[in-house]
Amino acid sequence: MSSAATDATQAPEKAGSSSASEQNKRSPSDFLKAVLGRPVNVRLSSGTDYRGVLACLDGYMNIAMEQTEEYVDGQLTSKYGDCFIRGNNVLYIASQRR
Amino acid sequence: MSNRILPLELIDKAIGSPIWILMRGRTELTGILRGFDDYVNLVLDDAVEYSPDPRDKSVVVRRELRAEILLNGNQVAVMVPGGTGPEDSMAARST
């Protein structure tokens, strides 16, 4: 999957040049592995926020969350024990690291 | 052989540096680029979001997310390597 957009003739050159940046690189799939089971803030493109524990997700960014709080315009509006978010609505997933 | 630089090679070179993202709609983000994939989903560290205030759309709200985020590539319109956000743009300087 990761080589789909890479021009085959450029691949050897790219492998050589990217080795330095490869160490501190963090791909989207690395991020998703790291945040599974952790508290996250999911922002939809509509501006609505969902905060809760990330239960699972897939390549479409479809998301299942637990202990979810819904924030519309920054105001807490609902709480859901479990909820599912269809991936096309997702603007970003933020970890609650700090 | 060729000195062409593919668009995503340019973004690959920006890994570890600040980047400015303009989304479809009026949202913009800045942050340190940590990585991306073929769909241009982006991992940003210390992201700052600039989005219109829901109560007054003419006002742009700056929000520090203080976290690592995964940004959906579907919504990305423009990426500016080294860009530090809308405060740095020509529009901001002229006002």
Side-chain angles (χ1 to χ4, degrees):
Chain A
M1 187 193 99
S2 65
S3 62
T6 310
D7 185 353
T9 59
Q10 297 284 319
E13 192 184 338
K14 190 179 183 253
S17 64
S18 66
S19 59
S21 64
E22 206 70 56
Q23 274 91 40
N24 46 16
K25 201 179 219 172
R26 197 162 153 83
S27 73
S29 60
D30 295 335
F31 175 88
L32 293 176
K33 275 178 218 151
V35 296
L36 258 184
R38 305 210 104 86
V40 292
N41 181 11
V42 177
R43 163 67 63 99
L44 307 192
S45 40
S46 65
T48 307
D49 278 318
Y50 290 88
R51 284 180 207 166
V53 177
L54 186 66
C56 68
L57 83 176
D58 65 15
Y60 298 105
M61 281 204 205
N62 293 325
I63 293 169
M65 288 174 84
E66 294 167 345
Q67 303 159 42
T68 312
E69 296 175 332
E70 181 186 61
Y71 292 83
V72 178
D73 298 346
Q75 301 291 318
L76 179 61
T77 50
S78 310
K79 289 186 179 180
Y80 308 106
D82 276 306
C83 87
F84 173 86
I85 300 170
R86 193 174 139 90
N88 65 308
N89 302 296
V90 175
L91 177 65
Y92 62 71
I93 303 168
S95 65
Q96 307 264 307
R97 182 154 49 88
R98 271 157 277 176
Chain B
M1 178 188 77
S2 79
N3 48 11
R4 273 192 315 161
I5 295 185
L6 296 168
L8 289 186
E9 281 181 39
L10 188 72
I11 302 307
D12 193 75
K13 288 180 200 296
I15 285 176
S17 336
I19 193 163
W20 177 20
I21 319 285
L22 287 81
M23 311 295 287
R24 284 159 53 185
R26 293 183 48 207
T27 303
E28 300 177 19
L29 292 115
T30 60
I32 310 293
L33 181 66
R34 292 299 178 206
F36 65 94
D37 63 15
D38 288 343
Y39 302 105
V40 200
N41 297 318
L42 302 162
V43 179
L44 295 178
D45 213 346
D46 294 325
V48 180
E49 180 188 5
Y50 301 86
S51 56
D53 190 313
R55 285 168 291 275
D56 179 2
K57 305 276 187 208
S58 63
V59 178
V60 173
V61 185
R62 181 182 192 277
R63 228 163 64 117
E64 288 187 24
L65 303 176
R66 298 176 195 282
E68 196 170 43
I69 73 165
L70 173 62
L71 189 64
N72 193 345
N74 219 335
Q75 317 264 349
V76 170
V78 179
M79 296 186 280
V80 186
T84 52
E87 285 121 334
D88 192 35
S89 72
M90 301 248 289
R93 266 179 272 166
S94 66
T95 52

